[in-house]
Amino acid sequence: MNRIEAAVVEIRRLEENDRVAWEDLWQENLDHFAAPDRARADMPVIWQRLMDQAAPLLGWLVLVQGQAAGLAHVILRQHSFSTAKIAILEDLWIAPFARRHGLAERLVERLVREGRAQGWRRIEWETGDENLIAQRLYDRIATLDPVKRYRVDLD
């Protein structure tokens, strides 16, 4: 599909009056990934963190002709090799109606500009092995880390 004209796309930080749009997009994302009920119950707290200027959780909204079309959540963390923050792209969601128009790439480009302006060291993210459509984009715009990630679930 064709890219949506830049003139009708706005990508900006979330604002207090974006809550309903964010909730709709976030609910779509949670449904898509079959998130546990706890994720839905935590939505008010997540929103408060996104609005808290002192919290390390930042949010962006993608609008197409004023309609909410996507979001991104970034967590800033300290790094032991540098005083510059590392940005973890925790969530990137484009609503189904807006997919295949280059919005995810534009959203990442916007985060890169933000990171450069704020002095971040890098942006990193992960995606599932089965998410081949996203991987095609990520392979084109980023470098794949040769790192295995391990975890211990505590709940």
Side-chain angles (χ1 to χ4, degrees):
M1 280 195 178
N2 296 333
R3 289 174 63 98
I4 297 173
E5 286 185 44
V8 301
V9 176
E10 179 184 7
I11 300 173
R12 61 168 171 75
R13 289 286 302 274
L14 283 169
E15 301 170 355
E16 281 285 344
N17 62 350
D18 294 325
R19 184 167 184 168
V20 171
W22 174 82
E23 285 179 350
D24 290 345
L25 290 167
W26 191 235
Q27 188 66 47
E28 281 182 358
N29 182 58
L30 295 176
D31 291 346
H32 177 81
F33 289 105
D37 291 339
R38 180 72 201 176
R40 287 163 185 75
D42 287 344
M43 283 177 67
V45 174
I46 302 304
W47 177 255
Q48 290 298 25
R49 289 178 183 168
L50 286 163
M51 293 297 104
D52 182 352
Q53 297 298 314
L57 182 60
L58 311 174
W60 279 264
L61 185 64
V62 179
L63 299 161
V64 175
Q65 293 181 326
Q67 182 178 1
L71 60 78
H73 298 152
V74 171
I75 297 173
L76 295 180
R77 71 169 176 85
Q78 296 178 342
H79 190 269
S80 59
F81 289 1
S82 171
T83 58
K85 300 262 171 103
I86 303 296
I88 309 298
L89 177 55
E90 189 75 7
D91 305 293
L92 188 157
W93 176 256
I94 302 297
F97 82 88
R99 292 185 182 157
R100 305 186 67 79
H101 292 287
L103 295 175
E105 183 173 1
R106 289 183 200 181
L107 183 48
V108 172
E109 289 168 354
R110 173 65 179 86
L111 295 174
V112 167
R113 287 193 308 276
E114 180 78 12
R116 287 188 175 127
Q118 297 299 322
W120 302 343
R121 184 162 189 222
R122 69 174 173 262
I123 302 170
E124 54 189 46
W125 64 91
E126 60 189 43
T127 191
D129 282 341
E130 73 290 345
N131 196 349
L132 300 177
I133 292 171
Q135 288 175 37
R136 280 197 296 271
L137 168 64
Y138 301 156
D139 287 343
R140 192 166 43 76
I141 65 172
T143 303
L144 179 63
D145 263 347
V147 178
K148 290 190 179 201
R149 186 174 146 220
Y150 297 90
R151 73 180 190 204
V152 175
D153 290 328
L154 301 176
D155 58 357

